[in-house]
Amino acid sequence: MSPTLSVTTCLLLLTLFFVTSSQTSAKRSFVVDHKENCFRKDGKKFQFISGSMHYYRIPRPYWKDRLLKLKGAGFNTVQTYIPWNQHEPVKGQLDFSGRKDLFSYLKLCSDLGILVLLRPGPFIAAEFEFGGFPSWLPTESKTISFRTSEAVYLKNVLTWFSELLPMLVPYLYCNEGPVIGLQVENEYGSNPACDKVYLQSLTQHYRETLGNEILLYTVDGPGKGMLNCGTLPELYNTVDFGGGNITSHFDIQAQYNSGGPPVNIEFYLAGSPIGAQSSPLNPELLLQISWMRC
């Protein structure tokens, strides 16, 4: 082989090596495209279709079966709250055992090819007494003020998040995990406190721990009063509703985002009045689901 041919061959191999390396090492991403009004997963337009499945309410041996049923029904994403009261029932004693093993749940979602939206609260509602706050929290101070920037409350929240959030880092989508987004607080616009310093403190803590590559979002009802208090410019705002004028709801959402897709993060299908056996699904809601699915 001539020296010239040998050098050419080496350069070709080096070129192939670098091209291959750059392709395999490209970091995964899930972002809002504010110009095209869509989400992009690894650069491609993407629509997540999510359903709620709370790991801590389902016996662990049934997790896989339920997740496969969710996937089989056409969902590509699952969302779940992270209940503070379940994971720290006694102050300073964390519990992620059994059906409360969030991290095994996230790994299972990843193995099954299901994306995840996490809702850590700290207030989650979720039909929990005291909104998911641990029962010991009110004993911390006689003047504690919940869901505000009051010092005692905020210190306890950030202490809990300082334990929880670092453990979530390996499960973020940009780190090869299934988690594409985290929700900051929960329908905070319905809280009369309307404490933006509180929301900013939570957001800052998320960013300092999780970095800038994870989607952070809020959810509120589609009313200006709620959205004025419930979100921040640096967070992606979503809405929740079941019924009404969809176009109007999403128009209001769009006013609080600088571009991006319309998102109903929690669509109310039906309700069961007290004492009723069941509540039939409103046909109008089925049409709304079809409209949002397109």
Short mmCIF file of all heavy atoms in Angstrom, two decimals, residues 22 66 93:
data_model
loop_
_atom_site.label_atom_id
_atom_site.label_comp_id
_atom_site.label_asym_id
_atom_site.label_seq_id
_atom_site.Cartn_x
_atom_site.Cartn_y
_atom_site.Cartn_z
N SER A 22 -20.18 11.33 17.27
CA SER A 22 -21.06 12.47 17.50
C SER A 22 -22.52 12.05 17.45
O SER A 22 -23.36 12.59 18.17
CB SER A 22 -20.79 13.57 16.47
OG SER A 22 -21.10 13.10 15.17
N ARG A 66 -50.59 -2.68 34.72
CA ARG A 66 -51.36 -1.44 34.54
C ARG A 66 -50.69 -0.50 33.53
O ARG A 66 -51.37 0.16 32.73
CB ARG A 66 -51.53 -0.72 35.88
CG ARG A 66 -52.25 -1.54 36.95
CD ARG A 66 -53.63 -2.01 36.49
NE ARG A 66 -54.38 -2.59 37.58
CZ ARG A 66 -54.47 -3.90 37.83
NH1 ARG A 66 -53.83 -4.75 37.03
NH2 ARG A 66 -55.19 -4.34 38.85
N GLN A 93 -37.41 10.87 58.30
CA GLN A 93 -37.37 9.44 57.99
C GLN A 93 -38.06 9.20 56.65
O GLN A 93 -39.29 9.15 56.57
CB GLN A 93 -38.04 8.63 59.10
CG GLN A 93 -37.37 8.77 60.45
CD GLN A 93 -38.03 7.93 61.53
OE1 GLN A 93 -38.72 6.94 61.25
NE2 GLN A 93 -37.84 8.32 62.79
#
